């Protein structure tokens, strides 16, 4: 268990969080609740990675599952924002490319955590 900032997945999510902050600053004020929810949820993802890094085995897998739930919420919020034309299709596509890589990293980490208990 090293420093969380040494984890590639953490750094990738941190970059994505910065991107979310940048794009959400341009959301119309009438969607302030969505903006807050989006920003809070991406930071929840970072918390989940931090907590998973502090645990081992099934406890780690539990926090990685929480990450998947939060990250799915981020994807859903962005998809709704694209449908409402708050977010461009190009921005959503950029996010989806990054999220696929992050998803693979989390899935691999979870497999390793669960195999650790065997």
């Amino acid at each position: 268990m090293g420093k969380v900032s040494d984890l590639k997945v953490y750094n990738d999510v941190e970059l994505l969080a910065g991107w979310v902050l940048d794009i959400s600053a341009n959301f119309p004020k009438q969607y302030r609740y969505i903006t807050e929810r989006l920003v809070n949820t991406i930071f929840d993802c970072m918390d989940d990675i931090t907590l998973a890094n502090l645990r081992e085995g099934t406890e780690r897998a539990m926090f990685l599952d929480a990450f998947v739930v939060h990250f799915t919420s981020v994807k859903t919020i962005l998809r709704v924002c694209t449908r409402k034309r708050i977010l461009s299709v190009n921005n959503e596509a950029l996010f989806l490319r990054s999220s696929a890589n992050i998803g693979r990293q989390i899935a691999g980490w979870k497999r390793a955590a669960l195999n650790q208990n065997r």
Side-chain angles (χ1 to χ4, degrees):
M1 167 180 52
K3 293 188 324 186
V4 72
S5 60
D6 292 339
L7 297 173
K8 181 175 178 356
V9 69
Y10 183 85
N11 291 318
D12 289 350
V13 174
E14 185 177 354
L15 287 173
L16 213 51
W19 177 81
V20 164
L21 285 171
D22 291 342
I23 61 139
S24 64
N26 299 322
F27 284 12
K29 290 192 189 293
Q30 70 194 46
Y31 296 107
R32 186 173 315 180
Y33 172 76
I34 295 296
T35 302
E36 290 174 9
R37 175 75 191 257
L38 180 61
V39 170
N40 288 337
T41 306
I42 195 72
F43 283 106
D44 287 343
C45 290
M46 294 175 69
D47 291 343
D48 295 332
I49 293 170
T50 301
L51 290 166
N53 191 50
L54 296 173
R55 304 296 196 276
E56 293 183 5
T58 54
E59 285 185 355
R60 176 174 284 169
M62 190 175 66
F63 285 108
L64 295 173
D65 283 341
F67 172 89
V68 170
V69 169
H70 287 124
F71 205 61
T72 301
S73 291
V74 170
K75 287 191 248 187
T76 302
I77 293 167
L78 290 175
R79 188 172 51 248
V80 168
C81 288
T82 302
R83 287 186 182 149
K84 297 294 278 176
R85 295 194 171 113
I86 300 167
L87 184 67
S88 74
V89 172
N90 289 340
N91 275 330
E92 184 186 23
L94 175 72
F95 173 80
L96 291 175
R97 280 193 298 275
S98 297
S99 70
N101 183 38
I102 290 167
R104 283 190 297 273
Q105 292 177 70
I106 292 295
W109 198 15
K110 184 177 174 186
R111 268 191 309 278
L114 291 175
N115 287 337
Q116 187 178 31
N117 282 347
R118 292 182 182 177

